Amino acid sequence: MTDAALFAAPTASRTAQACAHCGAPVRGRGDDAFCCSGCASAHAIIGAAGLDGFYARLEERRARRPEPLEADFATHAREAGKDQCTLELLVDGLDCAACVWLIESLLARNPAVTKARVHLSTRRLSLAWHGSPAEANAHAGLVAALGFRLAPYDALAVTAEDDREARELLRALAVAGFAAANVMLLSVAVWSGHDGSMGEATRTLFHWLSAAIALPAVAYAGQPFFRSAFAALRAGRTNMDVPISIGVTLACLVSLHEAWAGEQHAYFDSAITLLFFLLIGRYLDRRARGRARHAVRALMALTTRTATILLPDGGTASRRVDALVPGDVLLVAAGERLGADGLVSEGASTLDASLVTGESLPQAVAPGSRVFAGMVNLGAALRVRVTASGERTLLAEIVRLVEAAERGRSRFVALADRVARAYAPVVHATALLTFLSWFLLGGLSWDRALLVATAVLIITCPCALALAVPVVQVVASTRLLRSGVLLLSPTALERLAQIDHVVLDKTGTLTLGRPELVEMPADPDVRRRAASLAAASRHPLARALARALPDVAPADGVVEHAGQGLATHDSRLGSAAFCGVAAPVDDGRSELWFVHDGAPPHRFAFADRLRPDAAATVAALQARGLQVELLSGDRPAVVAEAARAAGIATWQAEATPAAKVARLATLAAEGRKVMMIGDGLNDAPALAAAHASLSPTSAAEATQNAADAVFQGEALAPVAETLDVARRADRLVRQNLALALLYNLSAVPLAILGEVTPLVAAVAMSSSSLLVIGNALRLGAGHPAKGPR
């Protein structure tokens, strides 16, 4: 078993019903229970013949008509050894875990392919096969035949593409908002002139001015919906964008007809306002999808690209880290990041091991010590014998844990996907039946009947439903921002409101994340001598000692022995062994020993202090009915003391990243809704796997990207405030959904009966949206809490 295998992701719980396609747990029932609409589509594509039959049909179709590729991928393939090639591709069009499963499963059907790994968050396909680089296009062609666009993988190009798409969506939102505001001003003037104060020529002019503003804006801002609807129809299916696109198009066409005929009503305001409201939700959804990619990219950035290896003849060579093999010996200089997992074969130093343990204190290593990719050598040079590299390292496992958790989070949109599949045909059928009934049976002309059908499409457009969650989120985000909390995920509030169990990391979360001097000798001369040595070092414990005695000047002639301590001609400050202490104290605290000119050794003890309101916040969470536990990678004695001081009864020490994820999975299997609060790189998989998660702003970037929210300052009180706001927001969202449902139940029948014109439908739709907004604004009333309540 490799080192990385010790940290493998736990098996998903099967307590929930499995997806009928990929096997992921879902909440649905029956044969059509899928974790997302992507799985439903993939299931329909593959059909009853299964993967083998689908693969055979795909190969037969490719033989008749090969799929054109946008690049010659043979030139981008690399030879990784004898008869072994690798290729990194960017896959455009990945939507969910079903896409990943489909690509990996079909590529695995080819006996020449030795690895096919798709990273959902980064959209990267890592491919390896037996053969020559010339076969790259054949393997890529299989993925292209599934309908995905391929390009050589370039992290910078991916980031640039994501930024470009976000900017396009934001521009569409801005255009729709600007046009909606101006068209609405003209519409207000037309509405107020219906009492006869406005002449027909003026009204027609205002209609044409509205058309001049709205039509170009609809054509530009509606592209995200139009493209989605066209792609769905071309694939022989439907989605929620289809009725939206039809309703907007019909509203514009009917309005043009009304303006041309000089009629009283035109509905350009309805079309552009609808797009504006819907683009708000689309943009927030785009931001949510981008977070998962940023979290994985930040973790992958910790991987160095090349490493220096020791050759058998004593020379050195630079080699790509993905080309390293077990048995290679790495030369790791001071300040260098390790490129593979391994065992120290020669040298002694200290490493920044926060990636694995989450602890801010460096870890001393010596020959035989296990080290992992991503750690940073803080001291002397080391020689490390490789035990695992590339996709088999602990860092790669952490990335996979984060990706697996982010895929699972897509289950929260499963209900919306099912509603979308039902919504579109129901609305289409209702509008069509309304048109046919009035045209064939009701005696209306085709344009009047179409006007009634358009009113049905407009009044059933889910503006209030689309605003029910986003508007509460905006108000709640503003409220939390005043408390020092920044929400990163659009779905965070919904999940935070369901929390009944809180899991805290220790270092940097329950504590301040920095060592503080808590015990020192009584002799002031000993203190000053030790502090003078400490002032010459950057070691965290030495810096803590220097902070406690800031007026002491650095000593001259200090020599630092990596991983051991500091020395002058007559003094030593460092580990117990370095200072000749035969029986060091084992009380769970970090320590430095000081000896001077043969005198007895003196001990300086350090501890990571709790946040000032940690105990009060834990008590406040427990008073709200929440269970709180502590999960840390630190030593048992240290974790036990922190748990006792904070008032936490349940705790676990020496927890690896996968052990934390496994604990969360166990709690989830028991029906718990768990919130994880952590700050270390080793906490990123647990933060992504939890039902909801928070991280302090002092956390690493990758950790913050994996969290749903971050909080500022040294206080822990924002955690309780966040849960309070989330619960209030949840109640308001439910109220908004009820208001929107009441609106549809009362307005749709009137529209079908012809009692509602498109103008009235637009007003009713806007009024329901305003009602939803007004209800959400109640959340912003009052002042944020200053501490635990």
Side-chain angles (χ1 to χ4, degrees), residues 7 111 136 140 142 163 174 222 343 366 413 516 526 567 590 626 644 699 724 757:
F7 301 91
L142 178 68
D163 292 342
L343 297 173
V413 302
E516 299 288 344
V526 172
S590 302
L626 301 170
R644 184 199 61 78
D724 286 341
T757 66

Side-chain angles (χ1 to χ4, degrees), residues 65-85:
R65 189 185 63 183
E67 195 74 23
L69 298 176
E70 298 187 11
D72 182 10
F73 296 116
T75 60
H76 298 277
R78 291 188 301 104
E79 296 189 33
K82 185 179 180 181
D83 194 38
Q84 183 77 20
C85 295

Side-chain angles (χ1 to χ4, degrees), residues 377-402:
N377 184 10
L378 302 177
L382 294 172
R383 292 189 180 184
V384 176
R385 185 169 299 278
V386 174
T387 58
S389 62
E391 293 289 325
R392 294 177 294 278
T393 64
L394 169 61
L395 181 58
E397 290 293 338
I398 291 178
V399 170
R400 279 195 282 273
L401 286 172
V402 175

